[in-house]
Amino acid sequence: DIDECTDGTHTCSVQGARCDNTIGSFNCTCLPGYSGDGVTCENIDECSTGTHNCNQTFASCMDIDGSFRCMCLRPFTRNGSICENVNECATGAHNCSTVANCTDVDYFFTCACLRGYSGDGVNCTNIDECLTNPCAANNGECTDSPGSFSCACRAGYTGGGFMCADIDECAGATSPCLQANEACFNTPGSFRCDCATNFYRSSQDSCMNVNTLFSSDVVPPNSPTGETLSWTITRLNASLTNYRVFVIDMGTNPMGTSVASAFAVPPE
């Protein structure tokens, strides 16, 4: 028997056909991906006929001789015969800002600025929350920071910064006023030290008892009334600061000594 398939004397199609030798003859058969009688074989376009198995969402079909090829669409990548989504957020292939969240979705990704920033996610700018005065009014201080802010109470106040209450420095067991006969008076955000009731601040900046020093004041005997008042007022003014001084001429006592009583009114 002559093998026409081997010696090339067959008449099968040169492309897309298979030659099978038989006793005294041969058979021609088109290969898969081709159609015809074996002597004539034409390529089948699976992409046009829809006989391919490419994913219609993630891939495109490209016809080749005797077959077809599935091409993964961007940004998908081939994993064997399957097209898989590329997670740009995980691979770092995104263009989101460093202060934005990257969210992977089919086909692409989205960018969103973090809280405390504004923008389109690709470009994000810090929001200065302090411009809206979020801290306690009057007694709170706002400090802006990248993407956030903080509140703190001013000196003399206590609280979290969003609510601030005055600190009563005078309410403690130990008074902050250190001089003798001084009293502590609380003020908004602070305090002041002043002489206690019935005490006055002398020119030496000490607190002296008004009742003890000025309940009566004896002046030199046989002094005329004018001299008595002048001497008394001069002495009192030398000791008192910002006090109103009142002197009353009491005349003479049984011993013939001139007497004057004086008292001081503290400043309002």
Side-chain angles (χ1 to χ4, degrees), residues 155-157 166-170 176 184-192:
Y157 294 87
D166 175 55
I167 298 174
D168 188 351
E169 295 86 355
C170 302
C184 179
F185 298 90
N186 187 54
T187 60
S190 186
F191 67 96
R192 64 181 176 85

Side-chain angles (χ1 to χ4, degrees), residues 63-85:
D63 185 63
I64 58 177
D65 286 339
S67 187
F68 62 91
R69 181 176 297 165
C70 297
M71 305 294 292
C72 294
L73 300 174
R74 294 185 64 185
F76 296 91
T77 184
R78 178 176 295 279
N79 182 6
S81 60
I82 301 174
C83 291
E84 293 182 340
N85 176 51

Side-chain angles (χ1 to χ4, degrees), residues 86-94 96 101-105 108-110:
V86 176
N87 189 337
E88 294 88 354
C89 298
T91 62
H94 62 84
C96 298
N101 283 323
C102 177
T103 303
D104 182 68
V105 294
F108 208 57
F109 60 90
T110 60

Side-chain angles (χ1 to χ4, degrees), residues 97-251:
S97 169
T98 56
V99 290
N101 283 323
C102 177
T103 303
D104 182 68
V105 294
D106 286 344
Y107 313 112
F108 208 57
F109 60 90
T110 60
C111 302
C113 295
L114 297 176
R115 183 177 181 180
Y117 294 87
S118 63
D120 58 7
V122 177
N123 297 292
C124 298
T125 304
N126 174 58
I127 298 173
D128 188 351
E129 295 86 353
C130 294
L131 295 178
T132 61
N133 301 316
C135 304
N138 301 322
N139 303 324
E141 294 181 336
C142 181
T143 302
D144 185 59
S145 59
S148 187
F149 69 97
S150 61
C151 292
C153 294
R154 299 181 187 275
Y157 294 87
T158 182
F162 294 97
M163 296 184 65
C164 297
D166 175 55
I167 298 174
D168 188 351
E169 295 86 355
C170 302
T174 303
S175 173
C177 301
L178 304 179
Q179 290 195 32
N181 302 319
E182 269 191 335
C184 179
F185 298 90
N186 187 54
T187 60
S190 186
F191 67 96
R192 64 181 176 85
C193 296
D194 206 346
C195 293
T197 304
N198 295 325
F199 287 83
Y200 72 93
R201 192 171 297 280
S202 70
S203 58
Q204 288 77 33
D205 198 34
S206 61
C207 292
M208 303 184 68
N209 191 314
V210 173
N211 295 328
T212 301
L213 185 61
F214 300 114
S215 59
S216 64
D217 198 342
V218 179
V219 297
N222 302 320
S223 296
T225 301
E227 292 182 8
T228 301
L229 297 180
S230 174
W231 182 86
T232 304
I233 293 174
T234 300
R235 181 178 178 186
L236 292 177
N237 286 338
S239 302
L240 297 176
T241 303
N242 297 326
Y243 274 71
R244 290 181 294 166
V245 179
F246 297 87
V247 180
I248 301 175
D249 183 10
M250 303 297 292

